[in-house]
Amino acid sequence: MAFVFAPQDSYRLLQISDCHLVAEADGWFCDVQPYRQLQLLLSPLQHNQPDAVILTGDLTQDHSLASYQLIAALFSQWSCPVFYLPGNHDDIGLMQQAFSAPPFCAETELSLGNWRLCLLNSKGPTPAGYFDTTRQQQLRRQLLSYPPDSAVWLFCHHHISPMGSFIDEHIQLDAAAVWQILASDPRIKGLAHGHCHYAYATMQQGIQLVGCPASSVQFLLTPDYQPVAGRPGYIEWNFKAAAHLDAAVRWQFLEG
């Protein structure tokens, strides 16, 4: 079942990714305290809440229930729905356990006016992305169920086009199959992901690819692993209810 939003002219969504929390609120990851980073990011937004939040994976670093419970506590006073999908670091069972109560929502399809947003599971047995034939067929069935005049945006954790850096070692292994699906349906306008800890937007084969900055650390586009303990970031999306109007994307980084 899809989560259907009430009719309105436009919808403001936040995409937050790669939080990499550990079990302790004051724990460390790559020279930052990821819980404190996320806390600082969310604090001013709680009083200016969007229509929804989408968490695009790698929410934990140490695969602990406590790390997810810290995230759940941060959102406990929020009133907007919070959706989530897994990254390669995530434990799906623990994630579902910690996110079993509002404002968290388990739906992986969002209906916003004429827009349909699909939250895809790209987690596999290795850190690389995994989107096998079963998941491909499921997405194709979803697309067949959408009205002809709808527009579609996909969200997942892994990137499907090389970044030219070390992170390509863990790219979506089934990227060619994903691209075939994208090419087969002109209603699909774009794909947004996390994983790369890098903010960018580009057009490729008529599809807009958007990378979300991390709330923890950012990565340099270098052949070796170089995390940067800078400002936490996220994406603010604006989807117009009328599907013929493009979605707007704006990167936000905490000041200071």
Side-chain angles (χ1 to χ4, degrees):
M1 294 292 292
F3 188 102
V4 180
F5 287 78
Q8 56 193 59
D9 291 338
S10 63
Y11 302 87
R12 174 174 163 253
L13 279 67
L14 301 183
Q15 180 185 354
I16 300 173
S17 197
D18 297 275
C19 307
H20 289 276
L21 266 66
V22 295
E24 302 79 20
D26 290 322
W28 292 83
F29 164 71
C30 290
D31 296 325
V32 302
Q33 293 175 295
Y35 171 80
R36 300 302 178 192
Q37 292 273 98
L38 184 58
Q39 185 181 44
L40 286 171
L41 187 155
L42 292 178
S43 180
L45 295 170
Q46 184 173 349
H47 305 292
N48 182 27
Q49 291 188 24
D51 294 298
V53 174
I54 301 176
L55 305 176
T56 49
D58 276 7
L59 308 183
T60 183
Q61 172 62 23
D62 64 1
H63 319 284
S64 67
L65 177 60
S67 63
Y68 292 117
Q69 290 172 331
L70 287 172
I71 294 175
L74 285 175
F75 281 106
S76 63
Q77 301 303 312
W78 285 54
S79 57
C80 72
V82 179
F83 303 91
Y84 57 93
L85 55 84
N88 48 284
H89 277 277
D90 289 307
D91 182 302
I92 296 176
L94 295 180
M95 178 187 290
Q96 292 172 337
Q97 180 180 343
F99 298 164
S100 61
F104 293 93
C105 297
E107 287 89 348
T108 57
E109 297 181 53
L110 283 60
S111 176
L112 308 87
N114 292 125
W115 280 97
R116 300 295 183 270
L117 310 186
C118 301
L119 312 187
L120 307 180
N121 178 2
S122 63
K123 177 179 171 60
T126 73
Y130 180 77
F131 203 69
D132 65 355
T133 53
T134 300
R135 293 176 180 176
Q136 294 166 31
Q137 291 168 358
Q138 179 183 2
L139 176 57
R140 290 184 184 276
R141 287 195 297 270
Q142 284 181 236
L143 294 171
L144 286 173
S145 71
Y146 297 156
D149 62 346
S150 61
V152 180
W153 201 285
L154 308 180
F155 288 84
C156 63
H157 180 69
H158 293 83
H159 60 306
I160 63 170
S161 185
M163 299 291 295
S165 74
F166 76 93
I167 198 67
D168 292 336
E169 180 182 351
H170 307 306
I171 197 172
Q172 172 63 256
L173 297 179
D174 305 295
V178 176
W179 276 110
Q180 287 181 352
I181 296 174
L182 298 179
S184 70
D185 195 327
R187 296 174 301 172
I188 302 176
K189 305 304 179 184
L191 180 146
H193 62 85
H195 192 47
C196 299
H197 294 232
Y198 188 82
Y200 80 97
T202 187
M203 291 292 294
Q204 187 170 332
Q205 300 181 40
I207 298 293
Q208 187 172 17
L209 301 179
V210 178
C212 185
S215 74
S216 54
V217 297
Q218 312 311 322
F219 291 164
L220 297 182
L221 292 186
T222 53
D224 55 331
Y225 174 64
Q226 291 195 44
V228 177
R231 298 168 297 165
Y234 63 96
I235 288 179
E236 181 174 299
W237 291 91
N238 188 279
F239 287 93
K240 302 293 185 183
H244 67 279
L245 299 175
D246 290 337
V249 57
R250 180 172 61 176
W251 292 280
Q252 301 277 20
F253 288 91
L254 193 67
E255 296 296 333

